[in-house]
Amino acid sequence: MNATQLMTHFDRLSEAPGAVPRLRRLILELAVRGKLVEQDGEDESVAAQLKDIRAARAIRLGDATPRARKASIQSEKNVLQFALPHGWSVVSLAELTDVLNGRAYAKNELLGAGTPVLRVGNLFTSKNWYYSDLTLEEDKYCDEGDLIFSWSASFGPFIWAGPKVIYHYHIWKLRLHSEARLDKHYLYRFLLQQTQQIKESGHGVSMVHMTKEKMEKLSVPLPPLAEQHRIVAKVDELMALCDQLEAAQQERERRRDRLASASLQRLNQPAAGTTPEAQREHACFHLSQLPRLTTRPEHIKAMRQTVLNLAVRGLLVPQVVNDEPAMALLKAIRQDKAQLARLGTIPKEKTVSGVAKLTFPLPLLWQAVRLGDVCNLVTSGSRGWAEFYAESGPKFLRAQNIRFGRLRLDEIACVNPPAKSEGARTQVQEGDLLIVITGAGVTNPALLDRDLGEAYVSQHVALVRPTDTAFSRWLLLCLMSGPGGRDELVERAYGAGKPGLNLDNIRSLSIPIPPLAEQHRIVAKVDALMALCDQLEAQLTTTQTDSRRLLEAVLDAALVPV
């Protein structure tokens, strides 16, 4: 691939995740391999410019000791990993530059005024400067335009753009033997390519052990001087194009984020005075535009939560005036619970203080209740199960089996409890709700949507058994949605001290109850929208994977020898 082909495909390639940084690395890789610009047979030969560089080097080293001159001349060259283009040569860095050491400073030599001392941190992130009043030999100073290289844990080349400074021990100044016969900016880009290659390979720690001698032996692919100038110009042109593409991408993503955020804000926190009918219209429009509004995984995550929030506020499906009111459902539940309590089938209901309160106006025919009002049992697992662990037997559900909104049963434990043990009260059944009450996953809810046979819960899990499993799915939506009860549950869990919930926190949780028929319509709508979110997420993953594969194929092809 040459520069023309690269520019032709730039827009398409740049859409892949992480494409622009990869393209920047490719540009430098092509540049130092001679594949970015055309070679010109009319260019002055490298041999001629090397002759001049060596002559300038010999003059500069004229005052050096014979041993120093010999050691420098005999620098070994590393083998390049690619074939040199016609007309190029490979030389050691020492044949092109002097690698000059900086100076280490004692604490009492670093002052608040004087000549600035350039440290590695000043090249990267630090804005804190030290100064010195020392008078040093000239090669210990760095002037504007000097080529330098940081070789500590943070490493890489720089062309210094500041005032005259003293450079620190962990910085080398690379003084060209001949400014007229070597393009400093080409050498800088070669060193930048080498730095990126080291970082990408994960061998950056090796720079900590880099020595001046090893640096001098670094192999440099050297094109004719005129080609060096052309390479620098083309690299600058393509890097500017990368900057434009990156800026355009960022602006496009910012606009999409603002649109998605504003739309979700309008749904989750409608303006004062907005009627339920208007809110429902907003929701319908937003949901109809899901493919356009969800362009990144984080958009889909926010959309899932918005679907839940709309569901528990009655804004996902229209109300039907002929539905049996929730009040009638609650009356039947109270009668059932009273009968079961008289028979001793369920424990006597505990009195819960206060009145259920929600943060949004209830739709027609809805009621606000405490979670305990619609459940026959709210308990938690027993202690002491560790001694009953077994290779097989009844299942044992622990906190790690409960993810947000789902059960994970691939790493389920087994127990072999003794007959008539206290733990028998924590035996679960299909339709039960489970809530993590201690540990990292505290407040995570899940529905036991299948028959596990004989199974129990640990002491870190609350077991919530609805009076009628027909609305178990609805209660799960409430426990997953902020306004449906989750916000209150999280506040109680993290309100003070070590995160955790007690059973009264769960029993007294305020939740909305719609008519049973509407519950079923809402649950069905949520299922459909969550399935759509799954499809969009899969499409995003596929698109990103395809784009990434295309990028990899193009990058690999670009570096294959012709």
Side-chain angles (χ1 to χ4, degrees), residues 237-423:
E237 176 188 347
L238 293 176
M239 290 299 184
L241 182 55
C242 282
D243 292 341
Q244 294 170 18
L245 286 170
E246 191 168 53
Q249 284 180 341
Q250 291 172 351
E251 178 58 27
R252 184 168 62 248
E253 290 304 320
R254 281 193 293 267
R255 289 179 179 178
R256 286 174 176 172
D257 287 345
R258 287 196 295 268
L259 176 60
S261 177
S263 185
L264 293 177
Q265 176 79 10
R266 190 180 187 187
L267 292 177
N268 291 316
Q269 296 179 359
T274 306
T275 65
E277 291 76 16
Q279 292 180 45
R280 194 171 295 109
E281 288 180 8
H282 298 162
C284 290
F285 175 78
H286 183 96
L287 295 173
S288 68
Q289 301 299 316
L290 267 184
R292 295 184 179 182
L293 293 171
T294 53
T295 59
R296 296 207 308 272
E298 54 266 38
H299 292 161
I300 295 178
K301 181 178 179 180
M303 191 64 244
R304 291 183 192 277
Q305 194 58 52
T306 297
V307 168
L308 294 174
N309 293 348
L310 293 172
V312 300
R313 288 160 50 206
L315 300 174
L316 209 55
V317 300
Q319 277 74 51
V320 177
V321 293
N322 293 330
D323 284 344
E324 183 181 54
M327 185 179 296
L329 172 64
L330 295 174
K331 180 179 179 181
I333 288 174
R334 285 193 295 270
Q335 293 173 346
D336 289 345
K337 291 180 67 175
Q339 177 66 16
L340 292 172
R342 284 194 297 270
L343 296 174
T345 304
I346 63 172
K348 186 178 179 181
E349 187 171 6
K350 293 189 177 182
T351 302
V352 179
S353 60
V355 177
K357 295 181 180 179
L358 297 170
T359 59
F360 60 91
L362 285 172
L364 181 70
L365 308 179
W366 288 40
Q367 291 288 313
V369 299
R370 302 289 191 175
L371 181 57
D373 295 337
V374 292
C375 295
N376 288 347
L377 178 66
V378 179
T379 188
S380 61
S382 303
R383 299 178 184 272
W385 280 97
E387 60 183 297
F388 302 126
Y389 278 106
E391 293 295 325
S392 60
K395 303 294 187 296
F396 190 57
L397 297 169
R398 299 167 294 171
Q400 55 262 49
N401 297 120
I402 301 173
R403 297 295 187 262
F404 183 70
R406 63 185 178 86
L407 283 177
R408 180 179 176 179
L409 301 177
D410 54 338
E411 295 181 0
I412 195 167
C414 295
V415 291
N416 188 15
K420 298 182 180 180
S421 68
E422 190 271 341

Side-chain angles (χ1 to χ4, degrees), residues 5 10 42 65 244 390 405 413 433 451 456 472 474-475 479 515 529:
Q5 293 171 321
F10 239 42
E42 299 298 319
T65 64
Q244 294 170 18
L433 294 163
D451 183 7
Y456 303 89
S472 292
W474 169 257
L475 296 181
L479 294 172
L529 291 173

Side-chain angles (χ1 to χ4, degrees), residues 505-517:
N505 292 150
I506 296 173
R507 292 189 186 98
S508 60
L509 188 67
S510 299
I511 60 170
I513 297 292
L516 186 59

Side-chain angles (χ1 to χ4, degrees), residues 44-53 181 222-225 228:
E44 180 187 29
S45 70
V46 172
Q49 71 185 78
L50 279 176
K51 180 180 178 180
D52 292 343
I53 291 173
R181 302 297 279 159
L222 190 66
L225 182 58
Q228 293 177 35

Side-chain angles (χ1 to χ4, degrees), residues 12 28 32 39 46 110 180-181 184 193 202 239 250 299 359 367 405 426 471 476 520 525:
R12 185 179 179 191
L28 292 175
V32 302
Q39 278 75 50
V46 172
L110 297 173
R181 302 297 279 159
K184 174 174 51 184
Q193 181 272 331
M239 290 299 184
Q250 291 172 351
H299 292 161
T359 59
Q367 291 288 313
T426 66
F471 52 87
L476 177 63
H520 294 163
K525 185 66 173 180

Side-chain angles (χ1 to χ4, degrees), residues 37-90:
V37 299
E38 298 292 335
Q39 278 75 50
D40 187 343
E42 299 298 319
D43 287 342
E44 180 187 29
S45 70
V46 172
Q49 71 185 78
L50 279 176
K51 180 180 178 180
D52 292 343
I53 291 173
R54 285 165 182 155
R57 176 176 177 273
I59 294 172
R60 178 164 286 169
L61 292 175
D63 295 333
T65 64
R67 182 178 177 183
R69 289 198 300 270
K70 183 179 179 181
S72 186
I73 291 170
Q74 291 180 346
S75 295
E76 296 178 1
K77 303 169 189 172
N78 298 319
V79 177
L80 295 176
Q81 301 300 314
F82 55 90
L84 282 175
H86 178 71
W88 287 41
S89 291
V90 57

